[in-house]
Amino acid sequence: MKTLTFVEELMRAKESGYAIGAFNIFNYLSARAVIRAAQKMNQSVILQTSTQTVKRFGPLEIGTMLRQLAWNASVNVVIHLDHCQNVDMAKACIDAGWDSVMFDGSHHTLEDNIKLCREVVSYAHSRGVFVEGELGRIAGVEDDIAVDESSATQVGLEESLYFVKESGVDALAPAIGTAHGVYKGKPNINFALVEDLRKAMDTPIVIHGGTGLGNETFRRLIKAGGSKINVSTAIKHAYIDGCKEYFSANPDKIDPIDFDQFLNCKISDTTIEHMEIFHGE
Ligand code: 13P
């Protein structure tokens, strides 16, 4: 089912005081499990693909598969490309039917980030597709993008407003101290920046590095103004840990459907746990 667009979903979340969950999927099983969770919750969801996943299947193959799953779902499913650093790949996914793309030019200078985002925005908007931009560098590893602690940067209010205005992006992912992957200590999160940004602009704010933040942090971030929260590592863990658990409990079982179903439940449960927090339940 297709109802609201990427921006409409984020604006609705912003106005209603919740966050839409954006979950990184990497194959048919994980995509289906996230949709199943959203259907159980009767809430919209964003299915994200990393560029590594797109490279593995090719934009057409995975795009067609995701569009079909979204079409058959009983809730609104938005298909989003996460952390794309390559303009040609962003355009290929736009052509293959993604609803929105994140262009991550955060490793460039501010002006180059703006210039590249503008190129993607112009291509995307003329095709009814939306763009998320990143400012500042978010620490951690997200598939093939690794940013070590020393290269991570946070951003300021004026710079963020300038970036949004000049680049024309539809959603902003500012580096606020969250990180991709598993947190080693307590992250030092700039909640005040999220709040100041929410007050100063209409553009919705995206929070990266959702895995391991915990209920209280999620609630504070949503209250401050986070409208989309990304979760990737927790989904990967549900899948891989689920595989290990299944085979240690059933070492001699040769039943792929049962195995798939077990993993489906693991990923769905993880998705639901996050969605419940994001929707204030
Ligand atoms: P985690 O892997 O920490 O959940 O971060 C996900 C993310 O921000 C994807 O862009």
Side-chain angles (χ1 to χ4, degrees):
M1 180 162 90
K2 272 269 168 270
T3 51
L4 302 182
T5 65
F6 174 78
V7 164
E8 286 167 344
E9 283 291 0
L10 268 61
M11 291 308 285
R12 191 170 77 158
K14 181 180 174 174
E15 280 151 20
S16 312
Y18 66 88
I20 183 162
F23 300 92
N24 288 58
I25 55 83
F26 36 82
N27 59 14
Y28 178 74
L29 190 151
S30 55
R32 212 167 153 258
V34 169
I35 291 178
R36 179 172 173 244
Q39 291 182 156
K40 272 196 180 169
M41 293 280 299
N42 198 24
Q43 299 287 355
S44 304
V45 74
I46 298 177
L47 286 189
Q48 303 192 146
T49 50
S50 71
T51 54
Q52 217 179 27
T53 299
V54 174
K55 279 183 208 153
R56 190 175 147 233
F57 292 97
L60 212 56
E61 184 176 333
I62 187 134
T64 307
M65 185 266 277
L66 294 177
R67 278 206 320 280
Q68 190 63 44
L69 281 171
W71 185 255
N72 290 336
S74 63
V75 293
N76 191 32
V77 178
V78 174
I79 300 164
H80 180 78
L81 176 66
D82 193 28
H83 285 288
C84 182
Q85 297 187 327
N86 180 297
V87 173
D88 289 337
M89 180 180 274
K91 289 181 179 174
C93 288
I94 291 166
D95 292 341
W98 265 251
D99 299 302
S100 52
V101 298
M102 174 192 193
F103 185 76
D104 176 359
S106 62
H107 51 302
H108 292 288
T109 62
L110 176 63
E111 291 307 328
D112 283 351
N113 190 356
I114 289 171
K115 191 166 149 243
L116 291 165
C117 277
R118 276 168 86 145
E119 184 180 344
V120 177
V121 166
S122 150
Y123 192 86
H125 284 184
S126 63
R127 289 158 178 82
V129 172
F130 297 94
V131 180
E132 174 185 328
E134 173 172 327
L135 190 62
R137 301 218 71 194
I138 297 169
V141 178
E142 179 52 43
D143 274 356
D144 51 352
I145 300 175
V147 179
D148 61 38
E149 297 279 335
S150 59
S151 313
T153 51
Q154 293 208 20
V155 287
L157 179 65
E158 292 310 321
E159 190 190 5
S160 303
L161 295 175
Y162 174 75
F163 172 73
V164 168
K165 185 165 162 281
E166 294 300 317
S167 65
V169 294
D170 305 289
L172 173 69
I176 55 162
T178 57
H180 297 124
V182 175
Y183 290 98
K184 292 189 186 82
K186 196 173 186 299
N188 182 18
I189 299 174
N190 191 347
F191 295 97
L193 175 66
V194 180
E195 197 166 343
D196 291 346
L197 279 168
R198 172 179 50 81
K199 288 180 184 153
M201 65 179 193
D202 288 333
T203 306
I205 301 161
V206 179
I207 308 295
H208 282 245
T211 298
L213 283 181
N215 297 10
E216 199 205 316
T217 305
F218 280 133
R219 292 203 175 103
R220 275 187 78 184
L221 282 168
I222 295 166
K223 191 157 181 271
S227 304
K228 166 181 181 261
I229 302 182
N230 290 1
V231 179
S232 174
T233 305
I235 301 295
K236 290 180 190 163
H237 267 283
Y239 185 81
I240 299 293
D241 295 347
C243 291
K244 291 178 187 164
E245 192 183 325
Y246 184 89
F247 286 117
S248 82
N250 309 283
D252 301 318
K253 202 164 177 179
I254 309 290
D255 187 344
I257 304 268
D258 187 59
F259 174 57
D260 271 16
Q261 191 50 27
F262 182 81
L263 295 181
N264 191 304
C265 289
K266 289 283 170 195
I267 294 176
S268 275
D269 290 349
T270 302
T271 307
I272 287 173
E273 277 166 29
H274 286 87
M275 287 184 81
E276 279 177 348
I277 304 167
F278 299 167
H279 286 268
E281 287 174 23

PDB file of all heavy atoms in Angstrom, residues 93-114:
ATOM      1  N   CYS A  93      19.075   4.470  -8.155  1.00  0.00           N
ATOM      2  CA  CYS A  93      18.014   4.023  -7.248  1.00  0.00           C
ATOM      3  C   CYS A  93      16.745   4.853  -7.452  1.00  0.00           C
ATOM      4  O   CYS A  93      15.635   4.328  -7.371  1.00  0.00           O
ATOM      5  CB  CYS A  93      18.492   4.082  -5.791  1.00  0.00           C
ATOM      6  SG  CYS A  93      19.688   2.775  -5.433  1.00  0.00           S
ATOM      7  N   ILE A  94      16.920   6.132  -7.717  1.00  0.00           N
ATOM      8  CA  ILE A  94      15.750   6.982  -8.013  1.00  0.00           C
ATOM      9  C   ILE A  94      15.043   6.420  -9.245  1.00  0.00           C
ATOM     10  O   ILE A  94      13.823   6.257  -9.269  1.00  0.00           O
ATOM     11  CB  ILE A  94      16.197   8.454  -8.234  1.00  0.00           C
ATOM     12  CG1 ILE A  94      16.684   9.050  -6.899  1.00  0.00           C
ATOM     13  CG2 ILE A  94      15.074   9.287  -8.847  1.00  0.00           C
ATOM     14  CD1 ILE A  94      17.460  10.358  -7.026  1.00  0.00           C
ATOM     15  N   ASP A  95      15.827   6.072 -10.272  1.00  0.00           N
ATOM     16  CA  ASP A  95      15.246   5.513 -11.504  1.00  0.00           C
ATOM     17  C   ASP A  95      14.604   4.146 -11.263  1.00  0.00           C
ATOM     18  O   ASP A  95      13.671   3.758 -11.954  1.00  0.00           O
ATOM     19  CB  ASP A  95      16.321   5.360 -12.589  1.00  0.00           C
ATOM     20  CG  ASP A  95      16.807   6.709 -13.086  1.00  0.00           C
ATOM     21  OD1 ASP A  95      16.094   7.713 -12.873  1.00  0.00           O
ATOM     22  OD2 ASP A  95      17.913   6.762 -13.662  1.00  0.00           O
ATOM     23  N   ALA A  96      15.141   3.406 -10.281  1.00  0.00           N
ATOM     24  CA  ALA A  96      14.628   2.046 -10.029  1.00  0.00           C
ATOM     25  C   ALA A  96      13.430   2.052  -9.074  1.00  0.00           C
ATOM     26  O   ALA A  96      12.921   0.993  -8.726  1.00  0.00           O
ATOM     27  CB  ALA A  96      15.742   1.170  -9.469  1.00  0.00           C
ATOM     28  N   GLY A  97      12.991   3.234  -8.625  1.00  0.00           N
ATOM     29  CA  GLY A  97      11.734   3.295  -7.882  1.00  0.00           C
ATOM     30  C   GLY A  97      11.830   3.537  -6.386  1.00  0.00           C
ATOM     31  O   GLY A  97      10.836   3.406  -5.686  1.00  0.00           O
ATOM     32  N   TRP A  98      13.017   3.903  -5.854  1.00  0.00           N
ATOM     33  CA  TRP A  98      13.113   4.262  -4.429  1.00  0.00           C
ATOM     34  C   TRP A  98      12.253   5.515  -4.194  1.00  0.00           C
ATOM     35  O   TRP A  98      12.140   6.385  -5.076  1.00  0.00           O
ATOM     36  CB  TRP A  98      14.559   4.567  -4.046  1.00  0.00           C
ATOM     37  CG  TRP A  98      15.320   3.415  -3.470  1.00  0.00           C
ATOM     38  CD1 TRP A  98      15.708   3.276  -2.172  1.00  0.00           C
ATOM     39  CD2 TRP A  98      15.818   2.248  -4.140  1.00  0.00           C
ATOM     40  NE1 TRP A  98      16.397   2.083  -1.999  1.00  0.00           N
ATOM     41  CE2 TRP A  98      16.476   1.441  -3.192  1.00  0.00           C
ATOM     42  CE3 TRP A  98      15.764   1.790  -5.460  1.00  0.00           C
ATOM     43  CZ2 TRP A  98      17.072   0.218  -3.512  1.00  0.00           C
ATOM     44  CZ3 TRP A  98      16.345   0.582  -5.784  1.00  0.00           C
ATOM     45  CH2 TRP A  98      16.985  -0.188  -4.818  1.00  0.00           C
ATOM     46  N   ASP A  99      11.651   5.620  -3.029  1.00  0.00           N
ATOM     47  CA  ASP A  99      10.821   6.783  -2.699  1.00  0.00           C
ATOM     48  C   ASP A  99      11.670   7.963  -2.226  1.00  0.00           C
ATOM     49  O   ASP A  99      11.271   9.117  -2.343  1.00  0.00           O
ATOM     50  CB  ASP A  99       9.833   6.438  -1.576  1.00  0.00           C
ATOM     51  CG  ASP A  99       8.901   5.313  -1.986  1.00  0.00           C
ATOM     52  OD1 ASP A  99       8.209   5.481  -3.007  1.00  0.00           O
ATOM     53  OD2 ASP A  99       8.880   4.264  -1.303  1.00  0.00           O
ATOM     54  N   SER A 100      12.826   7.648  -1.632  1.00  0.00           N
ATOM     55  CA  SER A 100      13.707   8.704  -1.119  1.00  0.00           C
ATOM     56  C   SER A 100      15.124   8.147  -1.045  1.00  0.00           C
ATOM     57  O   SER A 100      15.323   6.931  -0.942  1.00  0.00           O
ATOM     58  CB  SER A 100      13.243   9.168   0.267  1.00  0.00           C
ATOM     59  OG  SER A 100      13.082   8.061   1.119  1.00  0.00           O
ATOM     60  N   VAL A 101      16.083   9.065  -1.083  1.00  0.00           N
ATOM     61  CA  VAL A 101      17.484   8.660  -0.984  1.00  0.00           C
ATOM     62  C   VAL A 101      18.203   9.578  -0.007  1.00  0.00           C
ATOM     63  O   VAL A 101      17.877  10.758   0.095  1.00  0.00           O
ATOM     64  CB  VAL A 101      18.219   8.719  -2.361  1.00  0.00           C
ATOM     65  CG1 VAL A 101      17.597   7.768  -3.364  1.00  0.00           C
ATOM     66  CG2 VAL A 101      18.261  10.123  -2.940  1.00  0.00           C
ATOM     67  N   MET A 102      19.166   9.002   0.718  1.00  0.00           N
ATOM     68  CA  MET A 102      20.027   9.850   1.532  1.00  0.00           C
ATOM     69  C   MET A 102      21.306  10.064   0.746  1.00  0.00           C
ATOM     70  O   MET A 102      21.990   9.091   0.402  1.00  0.00           O
ATOM     71  CB  MET A 102      20.375   9.174   2.865  1.00  0.00           C
ATOM     72  CG  MET A 102      21.377   9.988   3.641  1.00  0.00           C
ATOM     73  SD  MET A 102      22.044   9.070   5.019  1.00  0.00           S
ATOM     74  CE  MET A 102      22.829  10.392   5.917  1.00  0.00           C
ATOM     75  N   PHE A 103      21.617  11.320   0.465  1.00  0.00           N
ATOM     76  CA  PHE A 103      22.917  11.573  -0.131  1.00  0.00           C
ATOM     77  C   PHE A 103      23.846  12.023   0.982  1.00  0.00           C
ATOM     78  O   PHE A 103      23.609  13.044   1.629  1.00  0.00           O
ATOM     79  CB  PHE A 103      22.874  12.597  -1.276  1.00  0.00           C
ATOM     80  CG  PHE A 103      24.218  12.701  -1.895  1.00  0.00           C
ATOM     81  CD1 PHE A 103      24.667  11.698  -2.749  1.00  0.00           C
ATOM     82  CD2 PHE A 103      25.100  13.707  -1.543  1.00  0.00           C
ATOM     83  CE1 PHE A 103      25.961  11.710  -3.251  1.00  0.00           C
ATOM     84  CE2 PHE A 103      26.396  13.728  -2.040  1.00  0.00           C
ATOM     85  CZ  PHE A 103      26.820  12.726  -2.902  1.00  0.00           C
ATOM     86  N   ASP A 104      24.887  11.235   1.223  1.00  0.00           N
ATOM     87  CA  ASP A 104      25.814  11.502   2.323  1.00  0.00           C
ATOM     88  C   ASP A 104      27.092  12.131   1.771  1.00  0.00           C
ATOM     89  O   ASP A 104      28.010  11.439   1.345  1.00  0.00           O
ATOM     90  CB  ASP A 104      26.112  10.181   3.058  1.00  0.00           C
ATOM     91  CG  ASP A 104      27.152  10.347   4.161  1.00  0.00           C
ATOM     92  OD1 ASP A 104      27.654  11.477   4.343  1.00  0.00           O
ATOM     93  OD2 ASP A 104      27.448   9.355   4.835  1.00  0.00           O
ATOM     94  N   GLY A 105      27.105  13.448   1.803  1.00  0.00           N
ATOM     95  CA  GLY A 105      28.295  14.175   1.339  1.00  0.00           C
ATOM     96  C   GLY A 105      29.061  14.741   2.518  1.00  0.00           C
ATOM     97  O   GLY A 105      29.804  15.709   2.375  1.00  0.00           O
ATOM     98  N   SER A 106      28.869  14.114   3.690  1.00  0.00           N
ATOM     99  CA  SER A 106      29.423  14.672   4.934  1.00  0.00           C
ATOM    100  C   SER A 106      30.949  14.623   4.988  1.00  0.00           C
ATOM    101  O   SER A 106      31.556  15.310   5.795  1.00  0.00           O
ATOM    102  CB  SER A 106      28.831  13.945   6.141  1.00  0.00           C
ATOM    103  OG  SER A 106      29.171  12.580   6.098  1.00  0.00           O
ATOM    104  N   HIS A 107      31.564  13.804   4.132  1.00  0.00           N
ATOM    105  CA  HIS A 107      33.030  13.735   4.130  1.00  0.00           C
ATOM    106  C   HIS A 107      33.636  14.823   3.245  1.00  0.00           C
ATOM    107  O   HIS A 107      34.847  14.949   3.160  1.00  0.00           O
ATOM    108  CB  HIS A 107      33.490  12.344   3.680  1.00  0.00           C
ATOM    109  CG  HIS A 107      32.865  11.884   2.393  1.00  0.00           C
ATOM    110  ND1 HIS A 107      31.511  11.774   2.221  1.00  0.00           N
ATOM    111  CD2 HIS A 107      33.416  11.537   1.203  1.00  0.00           C
ATOM    112  CE1 HIS A 107      31.252  11.356   0.983  1.00  0.00           C
ATOM    113  NE2 HIS A 107      32.388  11.216   0.354  1.00  0.00           N
ATOM    114  N   HIS A 108      32.774  15.581   2.557  1.00  0.00           N
ATOM    115  CA  HIS A 108      33.263  16.674   1.714  1.00  0.00           C
ATOM    116  C   HIS A 108      33.242  17.991   2.496  1.00  0.00           C
ATOM    117  O   HIS A 108      32.690  18.069   3.598  1.00  0.00           O
ATOM    118  CB  HIS A 108      32.348  16.833   0.487  1.00  0.00           C
ATOM    119  CG  HIS A 108      32.421  15.687  -0.463  1.00  0.00           C
ATOM    120  ND1 HIS A 108      33.514  15.451  -1.265  1.00  0.00           N
ATOM    121  CD2 HIS A 108      31.518  14.712  -0.752  1.00  0.00           C
ATOM    122  CE1 HIS A 108      33.286  14.372  -2.009  1.00  0.00           C
ATOM    123  NE2 HIS A 108      32.084  13.902  -1.711  1.00  0.00           N
ATOM    124  N   THR A 109      33.776  19.041   1.905  1.00  0.00           N
ATOM    125  CA  THR A 109      33.646  20.372   2.515  1.00  0.00           C
ATOM    126  C   THR A 109      32.166  20.751   2.477  1.00  0.00           C
ATOM    127  O   THR A 109      31.387  20.180   1.701  1.00  0.00           O
ATOM    128  CB  THR A 109      34.425  21.428   1.712  1.00  0.00           C
ATOM    129  OG1 THR A 109      33.838  21.487   0.392  1.00  0.00           O
ATOM    130  CG2 THR A 109      35.902  21.105   1.616  1.00  0.00           C
ATOM    131  N   LEU A 110      31.800  21.717   3.296  1.00  0.00           N
ATOM    132  CA  LEU A 110      30.398  22.153   3.342  1.00  0.00           C
ATOM    133  C   LEU A 110      29.904  22.531   1.942  1.00  0.00           C
ATOM    134  O   LEU A 110      28.832  22.094   1.508  1.00  0.00           O
ATOM    135  CB  LEU A 110      30.267  23.346   4.309  1.00  0.00           C
ATOM    136  CG  LEU A 110      28.886  23.987   4.403  1.00  0.00           C
ATOM    137  CD1 LEU A 110      27.852  23.004   4.933  1.00  0.00           C
ATOM    138  CD2 LEU A 110      28.940  25.224   5.302  1.00  0.00           C
ATOM    139  N   GLU A 111      30.689  23.316   1.229  1.00  0.00           N
ATOM    140  CA  GLU A 111      30.236  23.781  -0.094  1.00  0.00           C
ATOM    141  C   GLU A 111      30.130  22.625  -1.086  1.00  0.00           C
ATOM    142  O   GLU A 111      29.199  22.590  -1.886  1.00  0.00           O
ATOM    143  CB  GLU A 111      31.167  24.888  -0.631  1.00  0.00           C
ATOM    144  CG  GLU A 111      31.071  26.204   0.143  1.00  0.00           C
ATOM    145  CD  GLU A 111      29.638  26.761   0.290  1.00  0.00           C
ATOM    146  OE1 GLU A 111      28.817  26.557  -0.623  1.00  0.00           O
ATOM    147  OE2 GLU A 111      29.340  27.383   1.324  1.00  0.00           O
ATOM    148  N   ASP A 112      31.045  21.666  -1.027  1.00  0.00           N
ATOM    149  CA  ASP A 112      30.955  20.514  -1.943  1.00  0.00           C
ATOM    150  C   ASP A 112      29.782  19.614  -1.566  1.00  0.00           C
ATOM    151  O   ASP A 112      29.103  19.066  -2.448  1.00  0.00           O
ATOM    152  CB  ASP A 112      32.260  19.706  -1.931  1.00  0.00           C
ATOM    153  CG  ASP A 112      33.344  20.392  -2.738  1.00  0.00           C
ATOM    154  OD1 ASP A 112      33.025  21.383  -3.427  1.00  0.00           O
ATOM    155  OD2 ASP A 112      34.508  19.963  -2.658  1.00  0.00           O
ATOM    156  N   ASN A 113      29.552  19.464  -0.266  1.00  0.00           N
ATOM    157  CA  ASN A 113      28.397  18.684   0.202  1.00  0.00           C
ATOM    158  C   ASN A 113      27.117  19.316  -0.375  1.00  0.00           C
ATOM    159  O   ASN A 113      26.255  18.630  -0.934  1.00  0.00           O
ATOM    160  CB  ASN A 113      28.387  18.677   1.744  1.00  0.00           C
ATOM    161  CG  ASN A 113      27.382  17.702   2.338  1.00  0.00           C
ATOM    162  OD1 ASN A 113      26.619  17.061   1.624  1.00  0.00           O
ATOM    163  ND2 ASN A 113      27.367  17.594   3.658  1.00  0.00           N
ATOM    164  N   ILE A 114      27.020  20.639  -0.260  1.00  0.00           N
ATOM    165  CA  ILE A 114      25.843  21.363  -0.778  1.00  0.00           C
ATOM    166  C   ILE A 114      25.709  21.149  -2.290  1.00  0.00           C
ATOM    167  O   ILE A 114      24.629  20.832  -2.795  1.00  0.00           O
ATOM    168  CB  ILE A 114      25.953  22.877  -0.444  1.00  0.00           C
ATOM    169  CG1 ILE A 114      25.750  23.087   1.061  1.00  0.00           C
ATOM    170  CG2 ILE A 114      24.963  23.706  -1.248  1.00  0.00           C
ATOM    171  CD1 ILE A 114      26.047  24.481   1.565  1.00  0.00           C
TER     172      ILE A 114
END
